[in-house]
Amino acid sequence: MSKLTSNNSYVEKLALVISKSGDGYVTCEYGTAGLCGGCKEKSDDCVPELFSKPQSQAVFLLKNTCGAEINQVVRVGIPERSLLLGAFIAYGIPLLFIICCSGLGVYFSQNSNSDIAAMIGAFIGLVLGFLTAAVLAKILGKTIWNPKMLGILPLNTQCSNSTKNH
């Protein structure tokens, strides 16, 4: 029996390979209407289109570790711990800076207009916190948040036949 660890858990989504480069990378599109790419227009035959809300499309570059070809659907994953770290950087660091700078504003105001000093300190902390979070996201962006190709879905022949009818 294999032991499940948090190091191997991914948040997975499906994406369509739209182009392939010679250097081992593919360009994938997430959020297409109909993952086979064939039914871009909405039709009553496509059941997922009836129940899903419209998604925004995102195009991204992905290392082709599974040998995917154009128009194949791939499973793309981001490690869960990367998302947790990202949430901490986006929300926790600015909050920490707000609290610390607000406290410093009160401490240095020496009880004269401490409320105003706390507000000014909180605003300065907010700006510094967001700048720090942006720098950390830029530094860590190329390492832990890169999506990984986890596998290729088999081609659905029914979907590819239905695209010829449209």
Side-chain angles (χ1 to χ4, degrees), residues 2 17-18 20 27 34-35 40 49 54-55 59 61 67 74 78 89 92 106 115 137 139 149 157:
S2 66
V17 177
I18 56 174
K20 189 175 175 182
T27 303
L35 284 174
K40 294 279 185 190
E49 290 296 326
Q55 298 175 348
V59 177
L61 198 61
V74 294
I78 298 175
I89 289 173
V106 170
D115 290 341
I139 291 169
M149 186 181 294
T157 56

Side-chain angles (χ1 to χ4, degrees), residues 140-155:
L140 296 175
K142 297 293 181 191
T143 58
I144 64 171
W145 289 312
N146 280 344
K148 294 171 180 49
M149 186 181 294
L150 301 177
I152 303 171
L153 268 60
L155 180 64

Side-chain angles (χ1 to χ4, degrees), residues 1-144:
M1 186 181 291
S2 66
K3 188 176 186 181
L4 293 176
T5 62
S6 62
N7 294 342
N8 296 332
S9 58
Y10 289 90
V11 174
E12 296 181 22
K13 291 289 180 181
L14 299 178
L16 178 70
V17 177
I18 56 174
S19 71
K20 189 175 175 182
S21 65
D23 58 352
Y25 285 87
V26 292
T27 303
C28 295
E29 185 176 31
Y30 165 76
T32 57
L35 284 174
C36 68
C39 48
K40 294 279 185 190
E41 70 271 353
K42 293 189 183 263
S43 68
D44 293 336
D45 299 337
C46 191
V47 176
E49 290 296 326
L50 295 175
F51 297 107
S52 65
K53 58 184 177 184
Q55 298 175 348
S56 61
Q57 291 185 346
V59 177
F60 56 93
L61 198 61
L62 187 63
K63 189 169 183 174
N64 193 1
T65 57
C66 298
E69 296 295 328
I70 296 175
N71 290 330
Q72 282 188 317
V73 178
V74 294
R75 289 185 316 127
V76 178
I78 298 175
E80 282 183 354
R81 65 177 181 197
S82 297
L83 293 177
L84 291 173
L85 180 61
F88 173 73
I89 289 173
Y91 297 107
I93 288 180
L95 182 62
L96 184 67
F97 271 79
I98 288 171
I99 293 169
C100 290
C101 289
S102 177
L104 286 174
V106 170
Y107 178 77
F108 286 118
S109 71
Q110 298 177 2
N111 292 334
S112 61
N113 296 327
S114 62
D115 290 341
I116 294 173
M119 289 184 349
I120 292 171
F123 180 73
I124 291 171
L126 178 69
V127 171
L128 290 176
F130 278 130
L131 289 175
T132 304
V135 168
L136 278 174
K138 189 95 165 161
I139 291 169
L140 296 175
K142 297 293 181 191
T143 58
I144 64 171

